Amino acid sequence: AILVMALLNLAFFGVDAFVPLALVDVRHTSTSFAGLALTAATLTWTVGSWIQAHVVRRTGPRWLVRVGLATIAVGVLLTIAVIATGVPVASGVIAWGIAGLGIGLSYSALSLLVLEGAPPGQEGSASAAMQIANNVGISLATGLGGILIAVLSREGTSSPESLVIQFALMTIVLVVALIVAHRLSSQLRSEALGEHGA
């Protein structure tokens, strides 16, 4: 669960950090418009978390994590289409809103899995490991992504190719996360205990 959390943060923030750059430098929108994409993702992240909280005991956390990862991948691929093709630029707001829904579904479910899977008395260590995974994922995403985009760009302006390559690499990270997520528990421990006690 902690590994999937690190991959989730790496992939999501490896695109999120550069969505405004893509919309401003490649599609020539205003910074205010680019901010709408981040706002859309924030709002849909909240919606995804709310959905997760209401269905996780029925569907199981593994299913939610995998659906969330796949939803983020759809959002990233649609964002690539906005950068690489002539689709209406307003689609970028919708595309990144879809990715926000995906992280809302998966992030909270992963946090729940980490804490539920911790041995009694080790919840603090599990929480610390989860925070380290979050921070390492975000740091690698923004740091290495920034270097890649800078190296592949020219004359101080981000090239569409550099952003497409960065976003495509993050899609590959999401595929790896989906494969690893197959090993996650399909049931919460408290759920299992409740069934055995009944």
Side-chain angles (χ1 to χ4, degrees):
I2 290 170
L3 175 58
V4 176
M5 178 70 84
L7 293 170
L8 168 69
N9 280 282
L10 173 63
F12 181 83
F13 290 103
V15 178
D16 185 71
F18 305 109
V19 165
L21 184 68
L23 292 175
V24 172
D25 275 12
V26 176
R27 294 305 303 266
H28 310 295
T29 68
S30 67
T31 52
S32 298
F33 181 86
L36 288 176
L38 300 182
T39 302
T42 301
L43 294 174
T44 55
W45 186 331
T46 304
V47 170
S49 295
W50 184 87
I51 292 169
Q52 179 276 152
H54 286 80
V55 304
V56 68
R57 300 222 176 256
R58 186 169 62 245
T59 64
R62 180 174 62 196
W63 184 85
L64 273 171
V65 169
R66 296 187 82 194
V67 167
L69 290 167
T71 304
I72 296 169
V74 169
V76 173
L77 292 172
L78 290 173
T79 303
I80 290 172
V82 171
I83 297 167
T85 68
V87 299
V89 72
S91 305
V93 175
I94 297 166
W96 203 236
I98 291 169
L101 178 65
I103 197 166
L105 291 171
S106 52
Y107 188 93
S108 299
L110 278 170
S111 300
L112 188 58
L113 267 175
V114 169
L115 294 175
E116 283 261 333
Q122 297 297 312
E123 293 84 0
S125 296
S127 182
M130 185 169 56
Q131 289 305 314
I132 290 169
N134 289 342
N135 292 331
V136 167
I138 293 168
S139 299
L140 287 174
T142 54
L144 296 178
I147 291 169
L148 176 69
I149 291 168
V151 167
L152 296 176
S153 294
R154 54 193 175 275
E155 299 175 3
T157 302
S158 304
S159 68
E161 298 80 16
S162 67
L163 290 157
V164 167
I165 290 169
Q166 168 66 14
F167 294 2
L169 288 172
M170 296 305 101
T171 305
I172 293 168
V173 171
L174 286 166
V175 170
V176 172
L178 269 166
I179 293 167
V180 175
H182 184 68
R183 296 185 51 125
L184 294 172
S185 173
S186 61
Q187 192 175 48
L188 295 172
R189 187 173 62 192
S190 56
E191 224 175 30
L193 292 173
E195 284 176 6
H196 290 306

